[in-house]
Amino acid sequence: MKHAILFAAALSLSACAVVPNSPIVDSPHEVAQQGSAVGLLKPVQLGRAVVTPMRVTEDSRCPMNARCVWAGRVVVETRIDGIGWRQTQPLTLGEPHTVRGITVTLVSVMPEQQTGKQIGSAEYRFVFEGG
C-alpha cells in the first residue's frame, strides 16, 4: 500500500514536469507548429522560440480590389518567448526581427484587405517563420 501511494504521488508530479530547454508559454491554447496560420493570441512554435500575435496595431495594406500608389503594411504586436525570457515586439509583415540570436519574420497576413469591408480581429490569420 505504501508503495502504491508513493507511485501515485510520483505519477501526479510527473504530469507537471517542465521540459528543459523549451520556452514556457502561459496560454490556454495549443501551440501550433511553424508554417501554421494562427489567429490572435494563438501561439506558434518557431524552433527555440514560441511567438504569439497579440494585436494588430496597423493594417494599411492596399485592398486587393483597388489601385494604390503605396502597398501599405501590417504591424502586429507579437510576444516572443524563449528559454527564460520574453519580449513583446511590433513585427512588420516581411521584415525579419532578431532577438537573442533568434530571427522571427511575419511572412503572411490573411485575409486580404477589400474595399468597403473592415477585417474583424477574429478573422485575422498570421504565418511566422524563424527560430
Side-chain angles (χ1 to χ4, degrees), residues 6-8 15-16 40 44 63 67-68 95-97 100 105 107 109:
L6 288 174
F7 177 74
C16 298
L40 289 171
V44 62
R67 297 180 113 188
C68 302
E95 295 180 9
H97 172 73
R100 297 188 184 214
T105 307
V107 295
V109 177

Side-chain angles (χ1 to χ4, degrees), residues 83-98:
I83 300 165
W85 59 270
R86 170 177 282 172
Q87 177 179 342
T88 301
Q89 179 70 35
L91 297 182
T92 301
L93 179 62
E95 295 180 9
H97 172 73
T98 301

Side-chain angles (χ1 to χ4, degrees), residues 27-48:
S27 172
H29 303 286
E30 242 180 80
V31 178
Q33 294 303 306
Q34 182 165 318
S36 300
V38 296
L40 289 171
L41 305 177
K42 306 248 168 93
V44 62
Q45 182 83 44
L46 298 181
R48 299 175 298 147

Side-chain angles (χ1 to χ4, degrees), residues 59-131:
D59 188 353
S60 60
R61 294 175 293 167
C62 179
M64 60 186 265
N65 55 347
R67 297 180 113 188
C68 302
V69 175
W70 184 57
R73 67 186 198 153
V74 179
V75 180
V76 180
E77 185 177 310
T78 305
R79 187 175 67 209
I80 305 168
D81 290 290
I83 300 165
W85 59 270
R86 170 177 282 172
Q87 177 179 342
T88 301
Q89 179 70 35
L91 297 182
T92 301
L93 179 62
E95 295 180 9
H97 172 73
T98 301
V99 57
R100 297 188 184 214
I102 297 170
T103 300
V104 177
T105 307
L106 175 61
V107 295
S108 177
V109 177
M110 298 161 278
E112 299 274 340
Q113 284 281 20
Q114 293 185 17
T115 55
K117 184 175 186 262
Q118 184 74 16
I119 299 173
S121 60
E123 296 175 77
Y124 277 104
R125 295 294 175 266
F126 311 93
V127 178
F128 296 89
E129 287 182 356

